[in-house]
Amino acid sequence: MKRTVLILLGLFFISVLHAEDDGGTRSPFSLGAGSRDLALAGAAGAYCQPAAAMYWNASRLASAQQYSLTAFRTRLFDDDVSYQYFGLAVPTLDYGAFGLGVFYLGINNIEGRDDANLLEDSFSDSRTAVYLSYARYISKYAVGLSLYMEHHKLADYSASTSPGLNLSLSRRFDFADKKVSSLDMFFNGRNLIRAGYKLVDETAKYPVGFETGLSLGIKTFSQMNQQLLLSVSLEKYDFVDPRIAAGLEYSIDNMLHLRGGIRRDHPAAGLGLEYKGFAFDYALVERDLGTLHMFTLSTRFGSTISARRENREKNREQEFQSLMNQRMNNRNESLIQQLVDNGRVLFDEGKLSEAKTNFDRALFLARSSGQDTLTIAGLAGETTDKLNEIMRLKRYNTYVDSANIAFDGGDYLSAKYFAGLALNEIGNAQEALEIKFAAADSLQTRYSRDERIQRELLAADSLLSYGKLDEAQLLLDQLYKEAPENSAVILARKKSAFERWKALVLRLYDAGSYSRALEAVDSAAAIFPGHKWCQLERDRIKKNLAEVRQSIKAAEPAPVVRLTPEMQREVAALYANGQDSFKQGRLAEAISHWERVEYLSPDYLSVRQYLVNAYKFVGVDLYGQNKLADAIDTWRKAAALDPENPEIIDYINRTEAEIAKLQELSYEAR
């Protein structure tokens, strides 16, 4: 039995010391893993596959875009010894990438003999190594580490190493050059924490080693997506001279890969086929162990890290957009409720005109934001009906009083006119009818028909000169019914119609509604072709409209230049600060940050939409406070960013019309 133990210990040392001039105790797994990497003579550490990076260069895990699996197999010593590797790379969005690599080296059915050289049961000899790796980017560098342990089982004997540690660092450079696409560099420290076996009374530890190298990507025929990858590495272990390895990979359309390399005096070659995330790689490697045939199956699955980050950013943007819209809608609902409450109070106090203004604004905002308008519309309609009734009675009484005064003063024409206005308000009012008939009888006895028409034409002209266009039009319409053939009446009605168009054009122009003013003056010109005033006013409006469009164009952001990395970081920080300010309720501060982002990088994520929404609701807030001009100015900022937004255009047009109506009422009051 003692002889058997000595044989087993001898086999153990042979497996540990298998490589000549390797500095003593090298791991039996120092052959490496992966047909691709071994076909390149192990020189592609800077650009090794992520699922094999646990052994070659753990920092390469950080570049993994998808989950990846690889299974590698070869046989040593004329198919007697099985050499296998399984690798798994798991990238995460925020916590770097994790990797698991498992090596297996073993032989079965070894003939066993006792001290008398008699046959005994066969036994097996196996070695297993487990690598646990982690990598992530720190600034522009990828940093990785691998913690590993090995276990050796020989017949009934077994032993495990203490943990060992490899540490690696790499950096990638991408180029816009038409020929050179990329440069990858790496540095790897092996056995920085030295793993070792406890052998009877002695401990055998693996030597410390260092490896560095680079891989250079060179484009050949871009139309066929062909590329050369040139890789070189240099390694140095304790007590061993430095060794250089070089490899070359030629790829066609990222589907067919032809490889070759040399390490010391040992050549290697291989090929790879890749399609839709699945890959098969073969390598023919010449080593001290003889010629080795190696096979690897690999696959990648799952969404890429870039796509997952993009989706996460998209989801975050959608969540923030939802939050923004919700807060803005809540503010809008609050403003609508405030307007409704104010309108109710004013209605109860009898201030119907002011109540109607509040209800109309609440109704407009509710319709714009898609809210239920039934209750608000009912309140607005009730207020409008009551206000119209009061105003109608007020106008009737005013007209009747004016008719009585004129009649008592002998001005029968004016008495008849005011009585007619009163009848327009209340058609069957007895008092107004009596005044009208009495005035008509008096006029009939005083003037002939032609004299009365001339007198009423003079009255209509006087009303036109004082800007009372509706009253003049009503009087002229009555005259036209009585004398439709009278040329003076026809001419006066034409003059009245022109004055009404003229007043409409000027009112729209003063309100800043240049487009609508231009439409009105064109309509007037169609009715009164060749009129000089129409031509002059059209020229004036077009000039102002051009100035407005030029000012909007001048306000547009200047062409964006390519941002430096520092400016990109500033833009990202401003964008995030704007979101934080909005979440904390500081809307003005958020707008300030986003305006800066829009100036520096107009296409940055959703900043333009954020500004449009923010301007829209700031304008709504100003509108609710009766600051109509300020609201329009704010909405015009939104329109400059989103000219086709129908909601913004509706806000501006509606408020401009309201301003014009208020100016008209103010003028009538004077």
Side-chain angles (χ1 to χ4, degrees), residues 133-194:
S133 302
Y134 173 75
R136 71 173 302 143
Y137 282 102
I138 299 178
S139 185
K140 297 179 181 179
Y141 293 88
V143 179
L145 58 86
S146 285
L147 184 68
Y148 66 93
M149 288 185 66
E150 295 181 10
H151 180 76
H152 184 196
K153 187 176 187 308
L154 181 60
D156 297 329
Y157 296 86
S158 64
S160 297
T161 68
S162 58
L165 178 69
N166 299 337
L167 182 64
S168 56
L169 178 72
S170 60
R171 171 75 186 275
R172 181 179 179 85
F173 300 89
D174 291 306
F175 303 104
D177 188 271
K178 294 182 179 180
K179 291 297 183 182
V180 179
S181 59
S182 62
L183 172 64
D184 293 89
M185 305 177 68
F186 85 105
F187 176 82
N188 193 18
R190 294 188 182 274
N191 305 322
L192 298 182
I193 296 178
R194 300 174 63 187

Side-chain angles (χ1 to χ4, degrees), residues 356-365 367-368 516 623 628 632 635 648-661:
K356 182 178 183 301
T357 299
N358 278 267
F359 289 141
D360 285 346
R361 290 178 180 174
L363 186 61
F364 168 64
L365 294 177
R367 285 172 176 165
S368 300
R516 297 173 63 193
Y623 179 83
L628 305 186
I632 289 177
W635 286 329
I648 300 297
I649 295 172
D650 188 36
Y651 283 157
I652 294 173
N653 291 339
R654 200 272 184 192
T655 309
E656 285 179 343
E658 186 172 343
I659 290 175
K661 182 63 176 176

Side-chain angles (χ1 to χ4, degrees), residues 599-616:
Y599 175 76
L600 293 174
S601 181
D603 296 327
Y604 190 81
L605 298 180
S606 304
V607 69
R608 182 163 291 183
Q609 189 59 44
Y610 289 174
L611 281 173
V612 169
N613 287 338
Y615 287 147
K616 178 177 69 177

Side-chain angles (χ1 to χ4, degrees), residues 336-354:
I336 291 170
Q337 189 59 48
Q338 180 182 345
L339 289 169
V340 171
D341 292 342
N342 290 341
R344 291 179 188 273
V345 172
L346 292 168
F347 184 89
D348 294 338
E349 293 175 352
K351 299 176 181 179
L352 300 179
S353 181
E354 297 176 27

Side-chain angles (χ1 to χ4, degrees), residues 265-474:
D265 298 329
H266 300 312
L271 60 85
L273 298 173
E274 187 172 355
Y275 184 70
K276 291 186 177 181
F278 293 91
F280 169 78
D281 295 294
Y282 167 76
L284 179 66
V285 178
E286 183 69 31
R287 288 292 178 94
D288 294 336
L289 304 175
T291 300
L292 305 179
H293 299 274
M294 303 176 177
F295 305 91
T296 300
L297 290 175
S298 304
T299 183
R300 300 190 308 272
F301 57 94
S303 299
T304 65
I305 291 295
S306 300
R308 288 160 62 188
R309 285 202 176 99
E310 183 178 343
N311 287 336
R312 183 175 68 175
E313 289 302 317
K314 183 178 179 180
N315 291 335
R316 285 178 177 175
E317 288 295 317
Q318 291 175 346
E319 289 174 2
F320 185 77
Q321 286 277 18
S322 177
L323 172 65
M324 188 177 192
N325 290 334
Q326 182 62 42
R327 289 203 178 174
M328 294 302 185
N329 287 337
N330 291 343
R331 179 68 186 94
N332 210 11
E333 290 175 2
S334 175
L335 180 57
I336 291 170
Q337 189 59 48
Q338 180 182 345
L339 289 169
V340 171
D341 292 342
N342 290 341
R344 291 179 188 273
V345 172
L346 292 168
F347 184 89
D348 294 338
E349 293 175 352
K351 299 176 181 179
L352 300 179
S353 181
E354 297 176 27
K356 182 178 183 301
T357 299
N358 278 267
F359 289 141
D360 285 346
R361 290 178 180 174
L363 186 61
F364 168 64
L365 294 177
R367 285 172 176 165
S368 300
S369 58
Q371 298 183 30
D372 182 19
T373 60
L374 183 60
T375 301
I376 304 174
L379 292 170
E382 181 183 356
T383 306
T384 300
D385 292 342
K386 191 168 184 179
L387 183 61
N388 288 340
E389 180 63 23
I390 292 174
M391 295 301 295
R392 188 164 66 90
L393 291 173
K394 183 177 180 180
R395 289 193 298 270
Y396 172 80
N397 291 328
T398 300
Y399 293 147
V400 168
D401 290 343
S402 298
N404 281 323
I405 293 172
F407 190 88
D408 293 341
D411 187 357
Y412 303 121
L413 184 61
S414 296
K416 182 182 178 184
Y417 163 72
F418 285 115
L421 293 178
L423 290 171
N424 285 335
E425 300 297 334
I426 302 178
N428 298 322
Q430 186 64 32
E431 184 178 6
L433 286 171
E434 291 176 355
I435 296 173
K436 181 178 180 180
F437 292 144
D441 291 341
S442 298
L443 285 171
Q444 187 66 30
T445 58
R446 183 182 293 182
Y447 304 109
S448 66
R449 178 176 180 272
D450 291 341
E451 289 174 340
R452 181 174 58 79
I453 291 174
Q454 186 62 33
R455 179 78 176 265
E456 292 189 356
L457 284 174
L458 291 174
D461 189 64
S462 178
L463 290 170
L464 287 174
S465 65
Y466 282 102
K468 297 183 178 182
L469 306 181
D470 293 335
E471 293 88 336
Q473 188 66 41
L474 180 61

